[in-house]
Amino acid sequence: MFIGHFGLGLAAKGIDKRPSLGTMLIAVQWLDLVWPVLVLAGVEKFTIVPGNTVLNPLRFDYYPWSHSMLMAIVWGVLFAVIYFIITRKTRGAMLLGFLVFSHWLLDWVAHKPDLQITPFSETRVGLGLWNYKWSEILAELLIFFVGVVVYLKETTAKNKAGHWIILTLLLFLLVIYLMNTFGPPPNDVNAVAWVGVSQWLLVAWAYWADGKRV
Ligand SMILES: [Zn+2]
């Protein structure tokens, strides 16, 4: 699951317009922003195994601190509390906390049973939509497009830049998704982790785009 997460972040503007799209994207991708850092630190582990699921060649061997259900809840609560301390906005805090947890829910649908319930138990869950190629692609594109429609309806460009910065970001996300889906599998674990870290550039791009819209 990749642009499905971004779709929820975009759609969140329909519930609360105050948080920047950049903040929404940090929330929906928080688990995937923590994950590459823990991989590079040697705490979490994955292996590249083409065919592990039909759509995703990554075998997630161990990633309970970023991706167990319990930790998704903990991260969500922390995110909400920090946002509340900074802004004093309850609605935004609850929304962002839920967005952090939403990442786990969407991953639970996509991943095969490799998501631990807690870091301390061996039970692993996942519905495995990644094994159903076209259903997964359709589901993910659908969530993304709903998010795009909501975001473009709920915000207005202040000027020309307000149009183009968001449009290029959306197109870029779509291109990354299609390349991940139809391109060759990666061959290096660390390279995958660094691509994960580079998602902060997408976050920065989203802050930039959102600042040019009202
Ligand atoms: Zn994830």
Side-chain angles (χ1 to χ4, degrees):
M1 189 63 67
F2 176 68
I3 52 171
H5 297 301
F6 288 85
L8 282 194
L10 288 157
K13 278 278 178 175
I15 297 172
D16 189 354
K17 286 200 212 7
R18 227 180 311 241
S20 164
L21 179 63
T23 313
M24 303 287 203
L25 295 192
I26 296 177
V28 290
Q29 280 300 79
W30 182 249
L31 307 189
D32 278 5
L33 288 165
V34 171
W35 172 69
V37 176
L38 294 178
V39 166
L40 290 169
V43 176
E44 301 203 331
K45 296 218 161 20
F46 73 95
T47 319
I48 297 165
V49 182
N52 182 54
T53 61
V54 171
L55 273 174
N56 191 316
L58 307 187
R59 192 186 70 200
F60 300 95
D61 305 313
Y62 183 75
Y63 63 157
W65 302 106
S66 65
H67 274 78
S68 65
M69 186 178 80
L70 178 68
M71 283 309 295
I73 295 170
V74 170
W75 288 122
V77 170
L78 275 176
F79 205 99
V81 167
I82 290 170
Y83 184 82
F84 181 78
I85 289 170
I86 295 171
T87 64
R88 301 279 148 185
K89 299 282 186 265
T90 313
R91 188 186 178 84
M94 287 174 62
L95 174 65
L96 290 161
F98 173 75
L99 288 180
V100 171
F101 185 67
S102 78
H103 183 103
W104 192 87
L105 289 177
L106 289 186
D107 274 5
W108 170 65
V109 173
H111 287 230
K112 66 183 206 181
D114 57 24
L115 294 152
Q116 284 173 244
I117 300 290
T118 78
F120 320 105
S121 63
E122 256 316 302
T123 314
R124 289 171 181 247
V125 296
L127 300 180
L129 193 61
W130 265 334
N131 279 325
Y132 303 88
K133 187 171 179 180
W134 292 107
S135 312
E136 206 279 349
I137 292 170
L138 264 177
E140 197 154 1
L141 288 178
L142 188 69
I143 301 172
F144 182 69
F145 282 119
V146 168
V148 169
V149 169
V150 171
Y151 182 81
L152 294 179
K153 195 168 89 61
E154 297 289 338
T155 63
T156 322
K158 289 180 192 165
N159 46 36
K160 277 222 159 28
H163 268 299
W164 290 112
I165 301 171
I166 187 70
L167 285 182
T168 48
L169 171 61
L170 296 173
L171 270 177
F172 187 70
L173 287 171
L174 204 54
V175 169
I176 301 178
Y177 173 66
L178 294 176
M179 277 168 52
N180 280 344
T181 305
F182 297 103
N187 43 32
D188 181 63
V189 167
N190 278 345
V192 173
W194 280 111
V195 169
V197 171
S198 70
Q199 289 190 87
W200 283 106
L201 294 175
L202 298 175
V203 168
W205 196 340
Y207 275 110
W208 186 34
D210 205 72
K212 303 279 183 207
R213 300 179 69 86
V214 277

